[in-house]
Amino acid sequence: MLRFFRKKPPSEQPAKDQDKTAMSPADVPAAETASPTGDIAGTGIPVEESAAATTQPAAAPEVPAAVAAQVTAPADPTAPARPATAGKPGDPPAAGAAPAAAPSPPATDSRSGWRNRLSGSSLGVGLRALFSGNPALDENLLEELETALITADVGITASTELIDQLRTQMRARAYADSTALLADLRQRLRALLDPVARPLAIDGKARPFAILVVGVNGVGKTTSIGKLARRLHGDGRSVVLAAGDTFRAAAVAQLQTWGQRLDIPVYSQGQGADSASVIFDALQAARSRGQNVLIADTAGRLHTQAGLMDELAKIRRVMAKLDPDTPHEVLQVIDATTGQNAVSQVRQFREAAGVTGLVVTKLDGSAKGGVVFALAREFNLPIRYIGLGEGADDLQVFDPDAFIDGLLPERLEG
């Protein structure tokens, strides 16, 4: 049975938060029982890898006959209370507050912010180390540069092409010094990103604009869904979430937490339910209510698991029975730390699910970063967003200029 979760009115809020009930290990697959890794900064929402979950409330009336009742009915009194969040910048309004839309998160961070987040990538570190000493223009420099690009997951083909282009220019004496070569390298790397720098455009005529989110376990898929919902909700759009990852109870609980914090509906069924059925019911309800955006989670799966990949194709077919244009966007979430394995993942998911855009996460810290260029050259798929941290606002619209500047500033300190 479909379940719908809404915030409690102030009159029903308990005096104290109720304790969360931890799931027993038997309730969660062994692969998902890793220890928690903290929460998403500024939200209190656990990161995706956490296996902690909450007890699910009682079921609400089924869709679609009781959709109106679901929207207006008070929250289930058995639902666990959530920690108070008043006073935290950027948080959604508390229960009972005025229904004004939350302020829109910034479209992009400042250049200095991107530079701080990307400075630890192995590509940025390697290139800065190579050029900071103003090295001589010779074949040794090109060989070291090629090694730095390949080891940072730019890919052999893309790296070889870049080096051949630089070598031709160097032999033609086009560079006065290594600083000039660096400037040309920046321009050529930027040119690789031009075709994929296309932000997600929500078609306002589609009610709802359906986004199917796919990816393997551990890439930050469910967390990215919550952050994207927060961004779109902050832009004044009505958002619905579908908990289609029915293999992992923690994923359902995490989406429910986002839904309660943002005051948006989350549709789910019991663990092990048919994912296509969950998403179909959510799409049907969102259409009947005229919602702007539906974001559907799917089970994480290895790109080599043929049976599970077939399930994605089934979800697309089932959605198309209700609306032949859905899903309007298929976002694949990629972990930047997986390197060239990400290329294999995109190749398989694009074939099975018709991927139309990418979200590249975990680019902060020690991620190599070069995989962004490899993906751009190999697939020419739009990179819609990148993840620069665990904060609620750290899902940023991809800005190629800020990305290049973060990895490789124009001037390097010695």
Side-chain angles (χ1 to χ4, degrees), residues 48-68:
E48 182 173 357
E49 288 74 10
S50 173
T54 53
T55 303
Q56 293 192 6
E62 291 188 356
V63 172
V67 168

Side-chain angles (χ1 to χ4, degrees), residues 131-403:
F131 283 97
S132 60
N134 193 23
L137 284 173
D138 55 23
E139 191 64 26
N140 288 335
L141 174 61
L142 293 179
E143 290 179 359
E144 291 183 34
L145 177 56
E146 184 174 21
T147 299
L149 293 173
I150 292 174
T151 56
D153 292 326
V154 174
I156 294 178
T157 302
S159 299
T160 301
E161 289 177 353
L162 284 169
I163 295 302
D164 287 345
Q165 294 165 1
L166 296 176
R167 180 179 287 111
T168 299
Q169 294 298 311
M170 189 176 73
R171 289 175 177 174
R173 300 184 182 278
Y175 307 131
D177 53 23
S178 59
T179 301
L181 186 148
L182 171 63
D184 191 22
L185 175 62
R186 282 172 48 88
Q187 291 179 2
R188 294 179 187 278
L189 288 172
R190 174 64 176 81
L192 284 174
L193 301 180
D194 271 333
V196 301
R198 289 174 278 168
L200 177 63
I202 303 295
D203 183 2
K205 296 179 180 179
R207 292 295 184 99
F209 184 87
I211 303 173
L212 188 66
V213 184
V214 301
V216 303
N217 280 327
V219 297
K221 178 169 52 67
T222 305
T223 297
S224 295
I225 289 173
K227 292 179 180 180
L228 178 58
R230 184 179 189 275
R231 172 180 285 273
L232 297 177
H233 179 69
D235 286 340
R237 294 183 173 92
S238 54
V239 180
V240 175
L241 300 180
D245 187 352
T246 57
F247 290 92
R248 191 166 67 94
V252 176
Q254 187 180 3
L255 281 190
Q256 290 170 359
T257 302
W258 277 105
Q260 291 182 0
R261 295 293 301 276
L262 296 174
D263 196 21
I264 60 178
V266 176
Y267 292 92
S268 67
Q269 295 180 11
Q271 185 177 1
D274 181 63
S275 181
S277 174
V278 174
I279 295 173
F280 179 88
D281 286 346
L283 176 61
Q284 190 173 25
R287 279 168 56 88
S288 68
R289 296 173 57 195
Q291 298 282 355
N292 297 126
V293 181
L294 165 68
I295 309 177
D297 195 5
T298 58
R301 62 207 73 209
L302 295 176
H303 55 287
T304 55
Q305 294 175 309
L308 291 176
M309 295 299 285
D310 290 343
E311 182 70 18
L312 289 178
K314 174 186 174 182
I315 291 172
R316 288 184 60 96
R317 292 195 303 270
V318 169
M319 294 178 72
K321 290 181 179 179
L322 191 59
D323 183 345
D325 294 328
T326 58
H328 302 95
E329 178 82 6
V330 180
L331 284 177
Q332 181 175 356
V333 182
I334 291 294
D335 181 347
T337 65
T338 60
Q340 288 297 303
N341 189 41
V343 176
S344 299
Q345 292 176 21
V346 174
R347 185 176 294 114
Q348 296 294 330
F349 275 91
R350 185 176 63 167
E351 181 179 348
V355 174
T356 57
L358 302 176
V359 179
V360 184
T361 63
K362 306 181 184 181
L363 278 166
D364 57 312
S366 59
K368 293 184 177 182
V371 69
V372 173
F373 301 100
L375 292 170
R377 187 195 177 282
E378 181 77 16
F379 302 107
N380 200 34
L381 284 171
I383 299 176
R384 306 298 196 187
Y385 300 96
I386 63 173
L388 294 173
E390 293 185 358
D393 290 334
D394 286 334
L395 184 71
Q396 299 288 327
V397 173
F398 181 59
D399 180 344
D401 291 317
F403 184 74

